[in-house]
């Protein structure tokens, strides 16, 4: 007698171990994971950048005085702050000084920094030691540098005038007390401070250029200038862009160096948008006017950043 075994068909209700995961649920998990990583940075930006920016814009439309800190009352006055700032002749002066100071500082820092980077790109004794010494101006706090240079550039007792007088070149130059010389002196001091930063970044970019390109240029009989113009500069272009953008962002808003050197004088010859913001807010106690000048600085930086991003996007295409 034979016994037959009947196998029951698999039940549809039983779970299948090899069932494919739900694509929609997997996408949701990935999206939540991405937002989980991004959320802390977004929260940080909103708290420490977004809120102060919005508060500064609102303040520029308010009558904000020291009394506001006690009463909490800051009535809106429309565009009165903006019109009073733009009608002030000092604002136009400060804007022009800011442009001259920024352009002169960037040009000097970049040219000298690039020359030093090219110089240190070759091997010679004490290369590392000399590069380390050149970094010292960058490591010193800007206020300290300003105070030291104020002593050096003093018309009567400064080291520079004493040295020039010893050489018979005239040691009575009013570096910081003449309206015609003060802005130039401040620019030169800022160039001295910014050279190490430019040199370090550009030196790092030079180290990344393949040596084979220089060997090929040498075999083609290219001169040193032709090699620099056709090989070095094109390969350094991304690094140059970063250096100029960072330099612009840090230079256009400089305050502490100018306060330490000239305090915006003499006769407002070194007054910039940064110092004007300080003067309006903490000397004149007109916080609304100070916020207006601060917003103009933010707008200038934003316009520069937009042009930079567009140029990079066009270049990438």
């Amino acid at each position: 007698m034979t016994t037959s075994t009947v196998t029951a068909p698999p039940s549809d209700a039983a779970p299948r171990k090899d069932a494919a995961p739900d694509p929609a649920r997997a996408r949701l998990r990935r999206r939540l994971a991405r937002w989980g990583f991004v959320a802390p940075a977004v929260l940080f930006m909103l708290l420490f950048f977004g809120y102060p920016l919005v508060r500064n814009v609102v303040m520029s439309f308010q009558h904000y005085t020291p009394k506001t800190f006690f009463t909490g009352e800051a009535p809106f006055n429309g565009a009165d702050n903006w019109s009073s700032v733009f009608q002030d002749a000092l604002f136009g002066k400060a804007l022009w000084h800011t442009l001259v100071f920024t352009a002169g500082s960037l040009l000097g820092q970049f040219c000298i920094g690039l020359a030093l980077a090219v110089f240190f790109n070759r091997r010679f004794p004490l290369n590392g030691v000399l590069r380390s010494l050149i970094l010292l101006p960058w490591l010193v706090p800007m206020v300290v540098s300003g105070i030291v240079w104020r002593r050096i550039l003093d018309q009567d007792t400064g080291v520079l005038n004493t040295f020039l007088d010893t050489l018979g070149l005239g040691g009575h130059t009013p570096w910081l007390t003449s309206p015609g010389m003060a802005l130039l002196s401040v620019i030169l001091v800022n160039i001295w401070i910014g050279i190490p930063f430019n040199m370090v970044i550009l030196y790092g970019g030079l180290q990344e250029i393949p040596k084979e390109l220089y060997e090929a240029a040498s075999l083609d009989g290219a001169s040193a200038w032709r090699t620099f113009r056709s090989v070095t500069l094109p390969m350094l272009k991304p690094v140059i862009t970063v250096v100029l953008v960072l330099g612009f962002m840090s230079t256009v808003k400089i305050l502490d160096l100018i306060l330490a050197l000239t305090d915006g004088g003499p006769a407002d010859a070194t007054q910039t948008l940064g110092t004007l913001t300080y003067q309006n807010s903490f000397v004149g106690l007109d916080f609304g006017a100070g916020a207006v000048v601060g917003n103009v600085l933010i707008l200038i930086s934003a316009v520069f950043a937009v042009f930079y991003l567009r140029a990079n996007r066009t270049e990438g295409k």
Side-chain angles (χ1 to χ4, degrees):
M1 182 178 179
T2 60
T3 304
S4 61
T5 304
V6 179
T7 305
S11 174
D12 292 339
R16 298 178 58 185
K17 294 182 179 180
D18 57 345
D22 185 5
R25 185 174 297 177
R27 282 197 302 270
L28 179 61
R29 281 200 298 266
R30 287 196 298 269
R31 188 174 301 171
L32 290 175
R34 285 196 297 265
W35 276 108
F37 284 107
V38 173
V42 172
L43 184 62
F44 177 84
M45 294 290 289
L46 289 176
L47 287 177
F48 295 99
F49 291 93
Y51 174 74
L53 178 61
V54 173
R55 193 70 192 88
N56 196 66
V57 173
V58 173
M59 190 185 298
S60 67
F61 295 97
Q62 293 177 313
H63 182 62
Y64 208 100
T65 64
K67 184 180 177 182
T68 305
F69 292 101
F70 300 98
T71 64
E73 298 176 357
F76 282 88
N77 57 3
D80 290 350
N81 293 330
W82 292 81
S83 61
S84 64
V85 167
F86 288 156
Q87 290 173 7
D88 187 2
L90 185 56
F91 174 78
K93 228 181 193 185
L95 179 60
W96 171 248
H97 292 160
T98 301
L99 296 176
V100 173
F101 175 76
T102 304
S105 297
L106 288 182
L107 182 63
Q109 292 171 359
F110 174 76
C111 292
I112 300 175
L114 179 59
L116 288 174
V118 172
F119 174 74
F120 284 112
N121 196 37
R122 65 187 78 182
R123 293 183 179 179
F124 59 87
L126 300 179
N127 183 311
V129 175
L130 292 177
R131 276 191 288 121
S132 301
L133 292 176
I134 290 178
L135 286 177
L136 290 179
W138 191 31
L139 302 177
V140 177
M142 197 168 288
V143 174
V144 177
S145 297
I147 293 173
V148 171
W149 274 101
R150 186 169 185 168
R151 297 290 299 170
I152 293 174
L153 298 176
D154 187 88
Q155 181 177 357
D156 299 321
T157 60
V159 175
L160 181 57
N161 276 344
T162 303
F163 177 70
L164 293 176
D165 190 36
T166 303
L167 297 179
L169 299 176
H172 302 286
T173 305
W175 298 102
L176 300 175
T177 55
S178 168
M181 291 290 299
L183 184 59
L184 175 62
S185 301
V186 173
I187 291 173
L188 293 176
V189 173
N190 192 49
I191 289 174
W192 176 81
I193 292 173
I195 286 174
F197 171 77
N198 284 258
M199 185 201 72
V200 168
I201 304 299
L202 293 170
Y203 176 80
L206 288 174
Q207 295 292 302
E208 297 299 321
I209 299 178
K211 305 300 181 186
E212 293 80 6
L213 296 178
Y214 292 108
E215 295 174 1
S218 178
L219 292 175
D220 289 340
S223 62
W225 170 245
R226 181 62 185 273
T227 302
F228 177 77
R229 187 164 53 89
S230 302
V231 177
T232 305
L233 282 182
M235 296 298 293
L236 270 182
K237 197 171 182 181
V239 180
I240 291 174
T241 303
V242 171
V243 167
L244 292 180
V245 169
L246 294 179
F248 177 87
M249 295 298 183
S250 62
T251 304
V252 74
K253 60 180 179 59
I254 277 184
L255 169 66
D256 43 4
L257 176 65
I258 299 177
L259 289 182
L261 283 171
T262 62
D263 197 20
D268 296 320
T270 57
Q271 197 79 256
T272 62
L273 292 181
T275 59
L276 186 59
T277 304
Y278 173 81
Q279 294 287 343
N280 285 339
S281 298
F282 301 106
V283 178
L285 299 179
D286 189 350
F287 298 101
V292 170
V293 183
N295 288 330
V296 172
L297 266 177
I298 294 171
L299 184 61
I300 292 174
S301 301
V303 170
F304 185 84
V306 168
F307 277 111
Y308 160 69
L309 292 174
R310 285 196 172 185
N312 271 7
R313 188 178 304 171
T314 305
E315 190 177 312
K317 291 180 180 178

